[in-house]
Structures are given as C-alpha cells and as structure tokens.
Amino acid sequence: MQTIAHWLDGKPFAGSSTATAPVTNPATGVVTGQVALASAADVRTVIEAAAAAFPAWRDASLAKRTQVLFRFRELLNERKEELAAIITSEHGKVLSDALGEVTRGLEIVEFACGIPHLLKGGYTENASTKVDIFSVRQALGPVAIISPFNFPAMVPMWFFPLAIAAGNTVVLKPSEKDPSASLWMAELWQEAGLPDGVFNVVQGDKVAVDELLENPAIKAVSFVGSTPIAKYVYERGTASGKRVQALGGAKNHMVVLPDADLDLAADAAVNAGFGSAGERCMAISALVAVGSIADDLVARIDQRAKTIRTGDGTRGTDMGPLVTEAHRDKVASYIAAGESAGATIVLDGRAVAPDGEADGFWLGPTILDHVTTDMSVYTDEIFGPVLSVVRVDSYDEALALINSNPYGNGTALFTNDGGAARRFHNEVEVGMVGINVPIPVPMAYYSFGGWKNSLFGDSHAHGTDGVHFFTRTKAVTTRWLDPSHGGLNLGFPQNH
C-alpha cells in the first residue's frame, strides 16, 4: 500500500513522524493508501525550506516568474485529465465534475500569468521640488494554504498561482482525505521549472495546522473550510501576527419568484443542489418557493432528481458517493431528523440503488418539503445531496429569511422581473449573488468570498483581492541632485 508523503525542495519528503491516516476510494470503500501526518518538527523543516527559497524567488524578475507560470499553465492544460482521475479516486466526484474543477482552477493560473500588470505601482514626479514619490508592491515571504477536501485542486489554485507569481514561497497543507492531487501539482511545478523550495506540501492534521498558524516564518495564511474551523484559524493566525483570509461555511438560498421560468428553476435547483453530491460551499441547500408555485416547482424538481444516476464516478454516472462513510452517515442523520421534525420527504436518497460497489459511501438525491427555519436540516450546513424546500408568501419574506441567516456566502434569485432582480442584488446581505444563475462563482479576475460567518478577514480569494493579500505596498520618496550616465548600448532592449 502506497504512503503519500510530503513535498520538500522539489522531491518527496518522508518526514520523521510515523503517524498516518487512511486514504479511501469512496466509490468502493477500499483503503488505497496511507497519508503521512506531519509532526511539528516536520512542518518546521518544510517552512525552513520555503524561507530559504524566498529571497532568490522574490528577487527573480517578473519575466522569469511569469515564464514559469505560463509553462505550468500549458502542462496543466495538457494533462488535466490525469489530475481529474486522481480527484475522482480519492474524493468520489464524477470525472466530468473533477475535470470542471481543474478547469476552474486553471482560470486562476491564467489570471496569475498577467501578474506584471497587477503589480504595477504608481509614480508622482515633483511631489515636492525635485522630490519624486513612487509605490511598489512586494512579496510577503513564505505563506501557508490550508485547503478542504471538497476541491483538492481548485481551492489551492485559488491561492498559490497568485502567491507564487507575486514572489512568495508556499507551503500547502491539503486535506488528509484526498492528498494526492497536491503532490501531482507539486511535480508539475517542478517540471515547469519552479525553483526548489518555492512550492512545498506538508500532509497532516491539526498538529500541522497549528504549526503553520503559529510559526513566525509564515507571513500569511489562506484557509477554506467550515465556519468553526475558519474562525479558529483566523483568531489563532492573527494572534500570531499573520495576515489571514479564512473562508467559512454556507447555507445558500435559491429564491424562486412566481414569474420565474419553472423549468429553468427546476433544472438549476437539481444541478446546484446535487452536483458533487452537494459537497460544495456554493451548493444550493435551501430552495425558497414564493407564493403558489411551490407544489408545481417541487414536482418538477422531484421528476428531474429521480433521473440522476448515482454511482462510481468512473462509470459515466451523474453523481458520485460522499467522501467518507462517517460523513455519509452524518448527512443521512439529517434526513431522519428532518422527517422527525415534520418535514415531508419527497425523495429519499437513503434508498438509492447505486451503480457501484456495495461498500461505497452512497447517498442519493434527497428532497425535503415543508421545511421550517427551526429544523436542523435548515439551520446547519449539511454538505450533502439534501435540498430543503421552504415555502414563503412574498419576496419580502424570502429576503428577510436570507438576511437573517448567519451565513452570507452565495444566493440566487430566479425571476423574469428585472426590477425584482435589481432590488434583490442591492438588498440581499450575501457576498456572491446569482440572477437566474444557481452557483454564482465569479470568474478569476473577480474575487470569491462571502459575508457574515462565511468569511473571517478582509480579503476574498483571487482577483485583485488575492493580489493585494499576497503583497504589501511600499512608498518610496526620492531626491536626486545630479544626473547619472549609463553609457552607450545600441542593442535592442530585452527582459531578463
């Protein structure tokens, strides 16, 4: 059985710890490997390598850094199917979904290839007599990325392309549930020509996380995960003097107004509720039906959801298993709790007949109707293929429902009324809003992040927020009394 190691200075690193955790194929229930769990000393060794590599990488020209970025982009695009297969084997999402994850991550790599334009400073001539002022953006140093299990490739790529392009070095701590994608990307960076020590991987659990949060050599931490852990990461990291962007959990609502195209809305609810088995921070988990359309809308969603083929993601199915047996059982317990609290089970995923091995972690699409706001199936982030239908009488009631929720990650409104749409995106207290778009994940040149308990810190991921997070501004005031002379050189100027 393979041991999944760390990555240090351009090669695998076993570390000194003998602790490991099993890595399982969710579609079969078979343990496929053991991932190393770093000791604090192992983490320090990796951080020291990142710190040692920083000065040279920081001082490398923008031309050289972007050349590596472009090469990484080309290699990733050529071999993205390999990475998708690794994701499916350890996370369970179907191959097409895994490939979509890689493609969305690739967008951030492409955005980072334009880093020279984004790092430009400003210049003021004669701010005072013969005094000029200019500003520059400079790298921070070694930075840490702590990523979740649900997007083992895309979420790290929200951060490390910009961090590296800006001149920082990186220590990535992936989820121990699906760690192999991180090593594949590390090998790709090496092939792209990234110097040793600029991109490192440390596998581990809370021990590794705490060392990254407290070690003074780490200057910034990017985290994505559940809200309680995001709050912990933010508070512990900032207490150690670091910049921290910590993206937390979600309870995303999709509001359907009476004038909406119900077929479009039903398709969107199924796609956004059950894609990747609901294991997305942008998944729609609460459908808010306004007025008299609820019965018709629920019937259309039920009709579509029953056609979803649940099974092994390598077999051409629509929806794969959940990531672990424990998580599958936890999600199933929410279905039972909802039923006990009075919700109506329209479609019960616990009875699914999957196309896969009997020991896979299966749970099919589930629809609960007549859900009320005091039920755990509504209040908690379930992170599974469970769609809760809440019925309200008016737009104002739907808006109040969303704005009173402690989460503010993503939301969507389905309507053909432009006035209602404009009012909604103006009034709703959520960071990412879709109008007739169920999963409003912004493009790479915008920034990703929610409001309220869905984000701790001031910076969102990627876009200009990401560039600013991984750099700091320096203002320089200069006075030169005498001109200098550089001599003659008639050759065409080149970047080096």
Side-chain angles (χ1 to χ4, degrees):
M1 184 175 295
Q2 67 167 334
T3 298
I4 302 163
H6 319 288
W7 186 267
L8 171 70
D9 275 338
K11 56 184 178 295
F13 169 58
S16 61
S17 172
T18 59
T20 62
V23 177
T24 306
N25 184 335
T28 63
V30 174
V31 175
T32 57
Q34 296 287 333
V35 61
L37 298 179
S39 65
D42 293 333
V43 181
R44 286 193 289 272
T45 298
V46 175
I47 293 173
E48 288 167 3
F54 172 66
W57 183 243
R58 173 199 58 199
D59 293 336
S61 69
L62 280 169
K64 290 182 179 178
R65 295 208 300 258
T66 53
Q67 285 169 8
V68 175
L69 263 291
F70 273 105
R71 180 57 178 154
F72 181 81
R73 185 265 173 203
E74 291 304 307
L75 290 171
L76 181 60
N77 190 49
E78 291 169 4
R79 297 167 53 187
K80 55 190 175 184
E81 287 83 4
E82 294 178 27
L83 182 54
I86 292 171
I87 294 169
T88 295
S89 69
E90 291 185 349
H91 175 274
K93 65 179 64 175
V94 299
L95 279 170
S96 60
D97 195 24
L99 187 59
E101 168 184 346
V102 177
T103 301
R104 291 307 300 266
L106 187 61
E107 293 173 4
I108 289 91
V109 178
E110 292 168 347
F111 175 70
C113 288
I115 200 76
H117 173 73
L118 299 169
L119 292 180
K120 289 189 304 183
Y123 191 97
T124 300
E125 186 179 34
N126 284 325
S128 185
T129 303
K130 294 186 178 181
V131 173
D132 306 328
I133 302 176
F134 64 91
S135 64
V136 294
R137 285 198 168 273
Q138 295 185 331
L140 305 176
V143 300
I145 299 166
I146 304 169
S147 66
F149 74 83
N150 59 325
F151 287 103
M154 185 187 73
V155 166
M157 281 192 275
W158 281 355
F159 306 109
F160 68 64
L162 290 175
I164 291 172
N168 302 283
T169 54
V170 169
V171 178
L172 169 62
K173 206 300 284 184
S175 170
E176 60 271 31
K177 296 181 177 67
D178 42 15
S180 295
S182 62
L183 296 183
W184 187 93
M185 292 186 290
E187 292 175 356
L188 207 69
W189 274 120
Q190 184 185 39
E191 187 175 344
L194 191 70
D196 292 348
V198 176
F199 183 81
N200 308 276
V201 178
V202 59
Q203 312 285 3
D205 51 16
K206 187 176 182 296
V207 172
V209 170
D210 286 346
E211 182 62 32
L212 292 173
L213 293 177
E214 295 177 356
N215 193 297
I218 295 293
K219 304 306 180 184
V221 177
S222 298
F223 171 86
V224 179
S226 68
T227 288
I229 302 178
K231 184 178 181 182
Y232 172 85
V233 166
Y234 179 74
E235 292 177 347
R236 194 153 185 174
T238 54
S240 298
K242 306 182 191 308
R243 289 186 178 187
V244 180
Q245 52 180 184
L247 284 67
K251 194 69 182 182
N252 303 320
H253 297 70
M254 174 177 151
V255 178
V256 183
L257 297 185
D259 68 297
D261 182 324
L262 295 189
D263 283 324
L264 176 65
D267 287 342
V270 171
N271 294 338
F274 304 130
S276 195
E279 293 174 324
R280 294 171 175 161
C281 66
M282 290 297 287
I284 292 297
S285 56
L287 179 75
V288 185
V290 179
S292 60
I293 61 168
D295 287 342
D296 189 4
L297 180 59
V298 170
R300 296 181 195 221
I301 294 171
D302 179 40
Q303 181 184 40
R304 287 160 170 78
K306 285 177 177 174
T307 68
I308 292 176
R309 297 167 299 156
T310 301
D312 190 324
T314 65
R315 300 186 185 182
T317 55
D318 302 308
M319 192 181 87
L322 274 72
V323 67
T324 64
E325 182 178 22
H327 184 56
R328 188 271 316 276
D329 293 345
K330 181 179 179 181
V331 174
S333 73
Y334 275 105
I335 301 171
E339 183 179 28
S340 298
T344 301
I345 297 183
V346 177
L347 181 63
D348 193 341
R350 295 171 296 181
V352 70
D355 180 7
E357 300 296 326
D359 292 332
F361 310 138
W362 310 113
L363 186 69
T366 298
I367 304 168
L368 296 176
D369 196 3
H370 301 284
V371 172
T372 57
T373 58
D374 59 337
M375 297 179 184
S376 62
V377 73
Y378 174 80
T379 58
D380 297 358
E381 183 183 30
I382 299 175
F383 226 60
V386 179
L387 184 64
S388 299
V389 180
V390 181
R391 300 179 178 226
V392 299
D393 294 327
S394 66
Y395 165 89
D396 288 331
E397 189 178 349
L399 181 70
L401 197 70
I402 299 171
N403 287 350
S404 64
N405 196 275
Y407 296 110
N409 203 47
T411 189
L413 175 74
F414 277 72
T415 182
N416 285 315
D417 185 335
R422 190 178 188 281
R423 182 182 171 190
F424 183 77
H425 75 67
N426 179 59
E427 296 177 338
V428 73
E429 297 173 7
V430 173
M432 292 171 284
V433 181
I435 304 298
N436 297 321
V437 175
I439 305 179
V441 176
M443 298 296 291
Y445 41 86
Y446 286 87
S447 296
F448 179 103
W451 290 8
K452 298 186 281 191
N453 284 347
S454 294
L455 177 73
F456 297 88
D458 297 326
S459 295
H460 291 184
H462 57 75
T464 54
D465 275 21
V467 176
H468 293 172
F469 180 78
F470 288 117
T471 58
R472 52 187 173 182
T473 302
K474 180 182 290 183
V476 182
T477 303
T478 65
R479 174 186 289 157
W480 296 101
L481 301 182
D482 299 310
S484 60
H485 196 291
L488 296 176
N489 183 348
L490 302 187
F492 194 85
Q494 300 181 43
N495 291 325
H496 296 286

